[in-house]
Amino acid sequence: MAFLLKGAHVVDPQAGLDGIADVLVEGTTIAQVGENLSCEGAEVIDLAGMYLVPGLVDMHVHLRDPGYEYKGDIATETRAAAKGGFTGVCSMPNTNPVTDSGAVVAYVKSRAAEVGACHVYPAGAMTKGLRGEALSDMGDMVAAGVVAFTDDGRGVQTAGMMRRCMDYGKMFGKVFMSHCQDESLVDKGQVNEGVASTRLGLLGWPAAGEELQIQRDIALAELTGAKFHVQHLSTARGIEMVRRAKANGLAVTCEVTPHHMFLTEDDITDAYDTRLKVNPPLRTAEDAAAVIEGVKDGTVDAIVTDHAPHADWEKAREFELAPFGMTGIEASLGLVLTNLVSTGAISYARMVELMAVNPRRILGLDPVRVEAGSAADLTVFDPEVSWTVGADGYESKANNCGFAGVALKGRATYVLCGGRLTLADGKVR
Ligand code: DOR
Ligand code: ZN
């Protein structure tokens, strides 16, 4: 199958592209990029007024499969990814059974190949059962195709265990990603400790509960020489720690979410909307501003969603009983275009780095460039279209998007994943 993508504004800082061009896709790869291309038999798609960029990758997604398919599964959540403009996701290991063995990794990969609407790059657990007590079967998982290690959903509670994971696992060359949460400080914390916890009468989740493990793991990365990545970083001090580690030449990277940039603890009102219960919690306006500053100055490497589907009945409970997490993969691109690109805070090229180039680099995936010979993983979006999050429902099995009702400008219109059209005219195929 061949597609001739006509007249989009192509942005790819890796290929030095920022202007109108045609892109010819043949089979699974890009055959040609240039002006006035033609190709007999190719399906021509007119993309005038739209942007075309290397396929977006969300490196922090909960697919819930195996084990929690009532919340979401590989078919529904990869459709949500395609709808949001993504060609690939890194899946988190807090499944049931936990993704801590080659067998579960093999299941995720084969199921994704069978029913997935995007590439799935599985992350494996660092410790067995996410319990922080014994190393997972890292070699077994690497052989099965895991791209990274993380105990996401939980922090590794002791420094000694984290060191052992890094010391042993670094021979595989994969990145160690940390969900930073010191349980002895956070305990049953529900919202950011401070004004929000006082105002709402809920137990506080202190910034220090995250920052202590960020600092600890930076020190352990330096000690062991392992590659280290901070997941869903949410505080001003945490950003400063990563900024300093980078200045010191350490192999440290970090990611942030739209909800930690564009929502704050002030958005949680006496309506106690459980969609806004996330882990780490929404922080202060100062924290959100510092996170955005990190996105602008290069401290932050990737924008991710931490897309966390939950069933309606789970989120319908009292705030303390509802699970942490919001969905976001269908809104992420629109949120970034509306709040960061349209405002001039970042350029389209920087957005491509944050959402396509750097996630692949951190996960050790082959780069995708808009040039001949590259894999045909491509995202097209219309920067002018106005829409409201959730107005037409979601592709995700879940409804717990914290941005529901928010008006955005800019949305994915076409996605090619390995040369396969997974989104056409805004509809998942
Ligand atoms: O909000 C969150 N939800 N944060 C996490 O770290 C885990 C995730 C989940 O699995 O629901
Ligand atoms: Zn997490």
Side-chain angles (χ1 to χ4, degrees), residues 60 62 152-153 179 231-232 279-280 306:
H60 192 143
H62 296 271
D152 186 61
H179 165 118
Q231 296 183 287
H232 45 49
N279 194 7
D306 193 5

PDB file of all heavy atoms in Angstrom, residues 60 62 152-153 179 231-232 279-280 306, ligand 2:
ATOM      1  N   HIS A  60       4.693   6.663  28.845  1.00  0.00           N
ATOM      2  CA  HIS A  60       4.163   6.310  30.173  1.00  0.00           C
ATOM      3  C   HIS A  60       2.653   6.092  30.078  1.00  0.00           C
ATOM      4  O   HIS A  60       1.859   7.035  30.229  1.00  0.00           O
ATOM      5  CB  HIS A  60       4.475   7.404  31.192  1.00  0.00           C
ATOM      6  CG  HIS A  60       4.225   6.975  32.603  1.00  0.00           C
ATOM      7  ND1 HIS A  60       5.017   7.357  33.658  1.00  0.00           N
ATOM      8  CD2 HIS A  60       3.271   6.186  33.146  1.00  0.00           C
ATOM      9  CE1 HIS A  60       4.557   6.831  34.785  1.00  0.00           C
ATOM     10  NE2 HIS A  60       3.488   6.110  34.497  1.00  0.00           N
ATOM     11  N   HIS A  62      -0.668   3.215  30.970  1.00  0.00           N
ATOM     12  CA  HIS A  62      -1.178   2.000  31.614  1.00  0.00           C
ATOM     13  C   HIS A  62      -2.246   1.383  30.708  1.00  0.00           C
ATOM     14  O   HIS A  62      -3.334   1.937  30.563  1.00  0.00           O
ATOM     15  CB  HIS A  62      -1.773   2.345  32.988  1.00  0.00           C
ATOM     16  CG  HIS A  62      -0.753   2.875  33.952  1.00  0.00           C
ATOM     17  ND1 HIS A  62      -0.024   2.052  34.784  1.00  0.00           N
ATOM     18  CD2 HIS A  62      -0.304   4.131  34.180  1.00  0.00           C
ATOM     19  CE1 HIS A  62       0.821   2.792  35.503  1.00  0.00           C
ATOM     20  NE2 HIS A  62       0.672   4.051  35.153  1.00  0.00           N
ATOM     21  N   ASP A 152       6.719   1.261  38.269  1.00  0.00           N
ATOM     22  CA  ASP A 152       5.705   2.330  38.284  1.00  0.00           C
ATOM     23  C   ASP A 152       4.393   1.907  38.938  1.00  0.00           C
ATOM     24  O   ASP A 152       3.885   0.806  38.748  1.00  0.00           O
ATOM     25  CB  ASP A 152       5.412   2.851  36.886  1.00  0.00           C
ATOM     26  CG  ASP A 152       4.467   4.044  36.952  1.00  0.00           C
ATOM     27  OD1 ASP A 152       4.843   5.039  37.576  1.00  0.00           O
ATOM     28  OD2 ASP A 152       3.345   3.948  36.449  1.00  0.00           O
ATOM     29  N   GLY A 153       3.859   2.879  39.666  1.00  0.00           N
ATOM     30  CA  GLY A 153       2.713   2.631  40.532  1.00  0.00           C
ATOM     31  C   GLY A 153       3.227   2.661  41.963  1.00  0.00           C
ATOM     32  O   GLY A 153       2.521   3.056  42.878  1.00  0.00           O
ATOM     33  N   HIS A 179       9.250   5.775  39.561  1.00  0.00           N
ATOM     34  CA  HIS A 179       8.084   6.428  40.152  1.00  0.00           C
ATOM     35  C   HIS A 179       8.544   6.758  41.566  1.00  0.00           C
ATOM     36  O   HIS A 179       8.692   5.858  42.393  1.00  0.00           O
ATOM     37  CB  HIS A 179       6.902   5.455  40.145  1.00  0.00           C
ATOM     38  CG  HIS A 179       5.761   5.852  41.023  1.00  0.00           C
ATOM     39  ND1 HIS A 179       4.503   6.117  40.533  1.00  0.00           N
ATOM     40  CD2 HIS A 179       5.670   6.010  42.374  1.00  0.00           C
ATOM     41  CE1 HIS A 179       3.701   6.431  41.537  1.00  0.00           C
ATOM     42  NE2 HIS A 179       4.378   6.364  42.668  1.00  0.00           N
ATOM     43  N   GLN A 231      10.120   9.575  36.407  1.00  0.00           N
ATOM     44  CA  GLN A 231       8.774   9.551  35.842  1.00  0.00           C
ATOM     45  C   GLN A 231       7.896  10.643  36.455  1.00  0.00           C
ATOM     46  O   GLN A 231       8.118  11.061  37.604  1.00  0.00           O
ATOM     47  CB  GLN A 231       8.140   8.174  36.087  1.00  0.00           C
ATOM     48  CG  GLN A 231       8.901   7.054  35.359  1.00  0.00           C
ATOM     49  CD  GLN A 231       8.259   5.691  35.528  1.00  0.00           C
ATOM     50  OE1 GLN A 231       8.331   5.101  36.597  1.00  0.00           O
ATOM     51  NE2 GLN A 231       7.647   5.184  34.481  1.00  0.00           N
ATOM     52  N   HIS A 232       6.927  11.088  35.684  1.00  0.00           N
ATOM     53  CA  HIS A 232       5.926  12.090  36.098  1.00  0.00           C
ATOM     54  C   HIS A 232       6.395  13.026  37.219  1.00  0.00           C
ATOM     55  O   HIS A 232       5.783  13.110  38.279  1.00  0.00           O
ATOM     56  CB  HIS A 232       4.582  11.447  36.469  1.00  0.00           C
ATOM     57  CG  HIS A 232       4.639  10.220  37.340  1.00  0.00           C
ATOM     58  ND1 HIS A 232       5.376  10.144  38.488  1.00  0.00           N
ATOM     59  CD2 HIS A 232       4.030   9.015  37.213  1.00  0.00           C
ATOM     60  CE1 HIS A 232       5.213   8.949  39.027  1.00  0.00           C
ATOM     61  NE2 HIS A 232       4.419   8.244  38.276  1.00  0.00           N
ATOM     62  N   ASN A 279      -1.390  10.410  41.111  1.00  0.00           N
ATOM     63  CA  ASN A 279      -0.202  10.086  41.875  1.00  0.00           C
ATOM     64  C   ASN A 279       1.034  10.251  40.981  1.00  0.00           C
ATOM     65  O   ASN A 279       1.149   9.548  39.988  1.00  0.00           O
ATOM     66  CB  ASN A 279      -0.305   8.617  42.332  1.00  0.00           C
ATOM     67  CG  ASN A 279       0.695   8.291  43.403  1.00  0.00           C
ATOM     68  OD1 ASN A 279       1.377   9.179  43.903  1.00  0.00           O
ATOM     69  ND2 ASN A 279       0.804   7.021  43.742  1.00  0.00           N
ATOM     70  N   PRO A 280       1.973  11.159  41.290  1.00  0.00           N
ATOM     71  CA  PRO A 280       1.931  12.133  42.378  1.00  0.00           C
ATOM     72  C   PRO A 280       0.782  13.121  42.193  1.00  0.00           C
ATOM     73  O   PRO A 280       0.276  13.282  41.097  1.00  0.00           O
ATOM     74  CB  PRO A 280       3.299  12.829  42.270  1.00  0.00           C
ATOM     75  CG  PRO A 280       3.756  12.614  40.875  1.00  0.00           C
ATOM     76  CD  PRO A 280       3.197  11.293  40.466  1.00  0.00           C
ATOM     77  N   ASP A 306       0.895   9.398  31.544  1.00  0.00           N
ATOM     78  CA  ASP A 306       0.541   8.523  32.673  1.00  0.00           C
ATOM     79  C   ASP A 306      -0.933   8.119  32.545  1.00  0.00           C
ATOM     80  O   ASP A 306      -1.650   8.006  33.545  1.00  0.00           O
ATOM     81  CB  ASP A 306       0.827   9.183  34.020  1.00  0.00           C
ATOM     82  CG  ASP A 306       0.780   8.199  35.186  1.00  0.00           C
ATOM     83  OD1 ASP A 306       0.613   6.990  34.943  1.00  0.00           O
ATOM     84  OD2 ASP A 306       0.901   8.653  36.346  1.00  0.00           O
TER      85      ASP A 306
HETATM   86 ZN    ZN B   2       3.761   6.407  38.463  1.00  0.00          ZN
END
